[in-house]
Amino acid sequence: MSEKIHKLKMSRYPVILLVVALLSLYRMSVAMEKKKTYIIHMAKSQMPATFNDDHAHWYDSSLKSVSDSAEMLYVYNNVVHGFSARLTPQEAESLETQPGILSVLPELKYQLHTTRTPTFLGLDKGADFFPESDAMSDVIIGVLDTGVWPESKSFDDTGLGPVPASWKGQCESGTNFSSSNCNRKLIGARYFSRGYETTLGPIDESRESKSARDDDGHGTHTSTTAGGSVVQGASLFGYAPGTARGMATRARVAVYKVCWVGGCFSSDILAAMDKAIDDNVNVLSLSLGGGISDYYRDSVAIGAFAAMEKGILVSCSAGNAGPSPYSLSNVAPWITTVGAGTLDRDFPAYVSLGNGKNFSGVSLYKGNSLSNKMLPFVFAGNASNVTNGNLCMTGTLIPEKVKGKIVLCDRGINARVQKGSVVKAAGGAGMVLTNTAANGEELVADAHLLPATAVGQKTGDAIRDYLTSDSNPMATILFEGTKVGIEPSPVVAAFSSRGPNSITPEILKPDIIAPGVNILAGWTGAVGPTGLEEDDRRVGFNIISGTSMSCPHVSGLAALLKGAHPEWSPAAIRSALMTTAYTAYKNGGAIQDVSTGKPSTPFDHGAGHVDPVSALNPGLVYDITADDYLDFLCALNYTPSQINSLARRNFTCNESKKYSVTDLNYPSFAVSFPAESAARTGSAGSSSIKYSRTVTNVGPAGTYKVTVTSPSNSVKIMVEPETLSFSQMNEKKSYTVTFTAPSMSSSTTNVFGRIEWSDEKHVVGSPVAISWT
């Protein structure tokens, strides 16, 4: 019997060993499961009393309940009640079930949205409009970007008084940066890298400084655009010569470095916004964006909500994914979303062909010219052994076929300036860079490393025809310097991201456009104007383009308005900028969209192009409180925990109250009709949608009358009442707008209009965008 038992036990050993082995493998796989950064939102009201109001202790205890080894990256106090930490997906899932946890969101990676402007905006004659008061120099602009080059002349603090008493921030020391780098203009500098480093590893300090120092250039450009001091005799290689200045020259600047070589991570962005709120900034400028997600999952939207509640205006770039529709980022209604337009300045560089024809392009090349000498001309696609040789990517050109020649390269995939570097490395003498259908006729100037010019798609097609039809094609490039007074201007940049708003179609985005093409501003001393490693040139100012450039224009203008009207809320400041924006040129023609050559629409330009002098005295403003935004979230059917993630407090929507997104007191109207729907009200086959608005008088007593412009007879817009009378400052009056339209298919062309209130001194304009979805 004992022998049988022994045999039975022995027969089980392989099974036991197998189970043990499988358990070991499972534990190893769990241990090896890749950790990610998560942002954990906690319900502050649910903290057990045993923690004696020690939130950090509670957070740590919650984290330790799922992981003995996990450490917090950041504890957030303002933008979020919670923290960020590295966890395995399984640990994150387990943590989400713990009491007091609202959400556990995976970290997102964000990317940067990459002299004449003050004159173009009328600020050169605006000294009487914007008095250089002490209040103006008390305004602090916080810029989240790649850091700062403090030696830039744009941070000269001559003439500025003591740092504002409200400032609670600091100048943080680090690699190649010390507290002495700050002054009365650049009053603060911090850096945030924990989220970045836990994901991508330690910062390579041979490539970038682990400090607030800007080794990229983008952050110095945006911060000096927003609040740079006046610098005489600025230019890039003699291009765009003149006086460089930020929008708010007397405002103070505080920089928060959140973007590194590998991108900008949401845990770092939230930490910087958290600290900026503590530091008491008045405006936050973020020229970066990520993917589109619901507001309670979007870190920038979450941080901006907290900033808005503290009276801080948050200005963000719309993105560079245009001209495609639905390409916007940063669309939360408490964010001011900025698209890009052009200036009335250009940098012409002509292509002269062997057949006698000349074509215009643009360039910022400065160096040995081609001396009007005709050179052999070749298409890159015919000088390469790879299928995409036309794109002039690294290592794709055959030196024997391009040496001493001008090379035609197509735009796309790699950077424009890198294409020129590739041509130069292969022995080419010059480059013509041609747009493809994706970029149309939009021309963006670059400081190329060899004689080069960029031309539009139509011009590129004509040049390509010449190359294929002529047996001995020749060309040269002629550089004409700087030209101003270019018409029409502004035009909406093709790269500027467009609406409709994919998260909330009833909120029109972008809000506004501002100069974002070929903008001159301060630059880093760490890299050349192209940013390429092989570019050993160093400049004090650079010219670059993107909604990254238009965003800080609005940030600086918001600072001006804050200085002139310290009592205005972020919504009131944005309203003033939006309702005074213009949508037509002085000759009456509509602002053009360079991607189509046709008039732009509110989905392209929002309320229009910013006009800061008019914004100073807007007459009426549309104000919005934090409670109004909470009602808006209720209208979106957000759950209590989703609202808590954004608002950092318990808020329950009133079940007896009817909430509508159309009631948010926004200065614009985006009307989304259901396609092919049955009638809700009115005649058969039509629908009606009602919007309510309240305006606040910020000017003298007066009576405003409404004017409605609708180019479509099929859409009726009725405003009630048609007049609003104000007897005193800060008086509020409400009105409703009813939009009635026939049921149509979703392929129906959008309809655009305008609602204006005027007392004959002020014009308070709101764009109308009507679509069928």
Side-chain angles (χ1 to χ4, degrees):
M1 187 70 178
S2 61
E3 189 176 337
K4 283 183 179 179
I5 293 171
H6 178 71
K7 285 180 178 179
L8 183 62
K9 285 181 178 177
M10 291 300 291
S11 68
R12 287 178 180 168
Y13 277 172
V15 176
I16 294 169
L17 289 171
L18 179 63
V19 170
V20 170
L22 287 172
L23 281 171
S24 298
L25 284 171
Y26 173 74
R27 289 193 184 107
M28 284 174 63
S29 68
V30 169
M32 292 172 65
E33 193 172 4
K34 190 168 183 183
K35 290 193 172 190
K36 298 177 183 176
T37 301
Y38 292 87
I39 296 166
I40 296 89
H41 294 248
M42 307 284 283
K44 187 177 181 181
S45 60
Q46 295 181 32
M47 184 178 70
T50 53
F51 289 103
N52 297 319
D53 280 341
D54 187 345
H55 292 91
H57 187 197
W58 179 40
Y59 300 161
D60 186 60
S61 176
S62 300
L63 180 61
K64 290 292 189 286
S65 70
V66 300
S67 173
D68 292 330
S69 60
E71 293 183 4
M72 290 187 210
L73 300 180
Y74 296 106
V75 172
Y76 305 110
N77 299 310
N78 299 303
V79 292
V80 170
H81 288 144
F83 60 96
S84 52
R86 296 283 287 178
L87 301 167
T88 67
Q90 186 183 39
E91 289 169 344
E93 194 175 321
S94 177
L95 184 59
E96 202 156 22
T97 64
Q98 302 294 316
I101 305 290
L102 291 170
S103 62
V104 179
L105 301 178
E107 177 169 64
L108 295 175
K109 183 171 150 183
Y110 291 72
Q111 297 291 352
L112 295 165
H113 286 152
T114 242
T115 59
R116 175 147 180 89
T117 312
T119 302
F120 187 66
L121 294 175
L123 294 179
D124 59 326
K125 56 180 182 290
D128 295 335
F129 298 101
F130 293 96
E132 298 291 324
S133 65
D134 290 339
M136 203 71 74
S137 64
D138 284 342
V139 179
I140 302 164
I141 305 170
V143 182
L144 273 66
D145 213 297
T146 63
V148 66
W149 192 260
E151 293 82 7
S152 170
K153 292 179 181 178
S154 296
F155 296 115
D156 185 349
D157 64 357
T158 302
L160 285 173
V163 171
S166 61
W167 174 243
K168 305 300 180 191
Q170 68 178 70
C171 200
E172 188 179 10
S173 295
T175 309
N176 303 319
F177 200 97
S178 72
S179 59
S180 63
N181 286 122
C182 291
N183 59 15
R184 291 169 300 179
K185 163 59 77 174
L186 177 64
I187 62 173
R190 298 180 186 267
Y191 68 97
F192 301 83
S193 61
R194 291 178 202 165
Y196 177 89
E197 290 190 287
T198 54
T199 301
L200 296 181
I203 286 167
D204 181 354
E205 296 190 48
S206 68
R207 296 183 65 196
E208 57 184 335
S209 304
K210 190 175 179 180
S211 69
R213 182 165 290 282
D214 177 18
D215 300 302
D216 176 273
H218 192 278
T220 303
H221 201 279
T222 54
S223 57
T224 58
T225 296
S229 300
V230 175
V231 181
Q232 308 284 347
S235 75
L236 170 63
F237 301 136
Y239 287 101
T243 299
R245 49 161 288 177
M247 298 300 97
T249 57
R250 292 186 61 80
R252 317 301 176 120
V253 175
V255 299
Y256 300 83
K257 184 175 178 178
V258 297
C259 295
W260 307 83
V261 166
C264 329
F265 286 80
S266 53
S267 60
D268 294 329
I269 293 170
L270 273 175
M273 296 180 86
D274 200 79
K275 192 60 71 176
I277 292 172
D278 271 343
D279 291 347
N280 276 342
V281 303
N282 303 107
V283 175
L284 270 175
S285 187
L286 289 81
S287 290
L288 49 82
I292 297 295
S293 56
D294 288 310
Y295 305 132
Y296 62 87
R297 300 180 67 87
D298 181 341
S299 291
V300 170
I302 290 166
F305 194 97
M308 170 273 299
E309 288 192 289
K310 295 287 188 180
I312 302 167
L313 182 138
V314 181
S315 169
C316 292
S317 48
N320 298 339
S324 303
Y326 296 100
S327 53
L328 291 159
S329 56
N330 300 317
V331 297
W334 47 88
I335 289 173
T336 300
T337 311
V338 189
T342 63
L343 292 172
D344 63 340
R345 179 179 66 196
D346 215 345
F347 308 102
Y350 296 91
V351 183
S352 182
L353 302 180
N355 62 5
K357 291 184 178 180
N358 294 316
F359 295 97
S360 61
V362 295
S363 181
L364 295 168
Y365 170 74
K366 188 70 171 181
N368 295 328
S369 71
L370 300 176
S371 304
N372 300 344
K373 180 183 175 184
M374 285 285 174
L375 294 173
F377 194 18
V378 63
F379 175 49
N382 296 332
S384 172
N385 287 327
V386 298
T387 54
N388 61 354
N390 59 308
L391 296 175
C392 296
M393 293 197 288
T394 303
T396 61
L397 296 179
I398 301 171
E400 293 78 17
K401 293 191 176 183
V402 302
K403 186 175 182 181
K405 298 177 182 178
I406 295 175
V407 181
L408 179 72
C409 300
D410 284 340
R411 189 169 164 183
I413 308 291
N414 57 333
R416 300 182 300 270
V417 289
Q418 189 181 51
K419 295 175 189 289
S421 177
V422 170
V423 172
K424 184 178 181 182
M431 176 182 71
V432 176
L433 179 61
T434 176
N435 285 356
T436 59
N439 308 105
E441 300 310 303
E442 177 175 72
L443 299 180
V444 179
D446 294 296
H448 292 285
L449 291 170
L450 83 172
T453 185
V455 299
Q457 180 196 5
K458 292 175 184 175
T459 296
D461 289 344
I463 294 173
R464 203 181 294 53
D465 287 344
Y466 165 71
L467 273 172
T468 56
S469 62
D470 195 295
S471 59
N472 185 32
M474 304 288 283
T476 192
I477 304 171
L478 310 171
F479 301 94
E480 296 288 314
T482 305
K483 296 286 176 70
V484 296
I486 303 298
E487 299 293 347
S489 61
V491 297
V492 179
F495 61 73
S496 187
S497 289
R498 316 300 173 97
N501 181 339
S502 60
I503 302 296
T504 317
E506 298 84 358
I507 302 296
L508 180 64
K509 291 284 182 173
D511 291 310
I512 206 162
I513 62 169
V517 179
N518 297 334
I519 304 302
L520 179 78
W523 196 245
T524 176
V527 296
T530 63
L532 298 173
E533 286 187 24
E534 59 267 36
D535 188 354
D536 58 5
R537 301 170 298 177
R538 295 295 179 264
V539 296
F541 293 86
N542 198 10
I543 295 173
I544 56 176
S545 302
T547 54
S548 278
M549 284 59 256
S550 54
C551 167
H553 278 87
V554 169
S555 307
L557 296 177
L560 284 178
L561 293 182
K562 184 68 176 177
H565 301 284
E567 74 284 2
W568 280 8
S569 70
I573 292 172
R574 175 179 58 198
S575 174
L577 291 167
M578 289 175 66
T579 61
T580 58
Y582 62 91
T583 57
Y585 303 119
K586 290 176 181 176
N587 65 6
I591 288 179
Q592 299 292 298
D593 177 359
V594 75
S595 71
T596 62
K598 298 176 181 177
S600 61
T601 76
F603 287 144
D604 308 322
H605 61 233
H609 192 281
V610 67
D611 180 359
V613 175
S614 297
L616 191 66
N617 180 19
L620 307 175
V621 295
Y622 295 81
D623 210 351
I624 307 176
T625 66
D627 286 344
D628 295 328
Y629 288 121
L630 291 173
D631 287 349
F632 168 79
L633 298 178
C634 289
L636 295 179
N637 296 317
Y638 275 20
T639 66
S641 64
Q642 289 167 348
I643 293 175
N644 198 335
S645 290
L646 264 168
R648 307 164 324 285
R649 59 181 178 275
N650 289 334
F651 183 84
T652 304
C653 302
N654 187 342
E655 291 183 7
S656 64
K657 183 176 178 180
K658 186 179 179 183
Y659 296 97
S660 173
V661 291
T662 64
D663 290 339
L664 185 66
N665 202 35
Y666 221 71
S668 57
F669 297 89
V671 188
S672 181
F673 283 103
E676 302 289 3
S677 66
R680 294 186 198 170
T681 60
S683 59
S686 65
S687 298
S688 290
I689 301 177
K690 183 175 285 189
Y691 283 58
S692 62
R693 292 291 187 268
T694 299
V695 286
T696 303
N697 181 38
V698 293
T703 297
Y704 285 78
K705 294 182 180 180
V706 73
T707 302
V708 177
T709 305
S710 175
S712 172
N713 294 327
S714 63
V715 179
K716 293 183 174 61
I717 304 175
M718 185 171 69
V719 180
E720 295 180 303
E722 294 183 346
T723 61
L724 298 172
S725 293
F726 299 89
S727 59
Q728 59 188 18
M729 179 84 81
N730 296 323
E731 187 178 357
K732 296 179 183 291
K733 289 289 174 78
S734 298
Y735 69 93
T736 62
V737 187
T738 304
F739 299 92
T740 304
S743 299
M744 298 181 181
S745 70
S746 58
S747 61
T748 302
T749 303
N750 299 319
V751 172
F752 304 102
R754 192 166 175 83
I755 296 173
E756 290 185 347
W757 293 92
S758 178
D759 65 349
E760 298 186 355
K761 300 185 197 74
H762 308 89
V763 176
V764 185
S766 294
V768 174
I770 300 171
S771 57
W772 285 261
T773 55

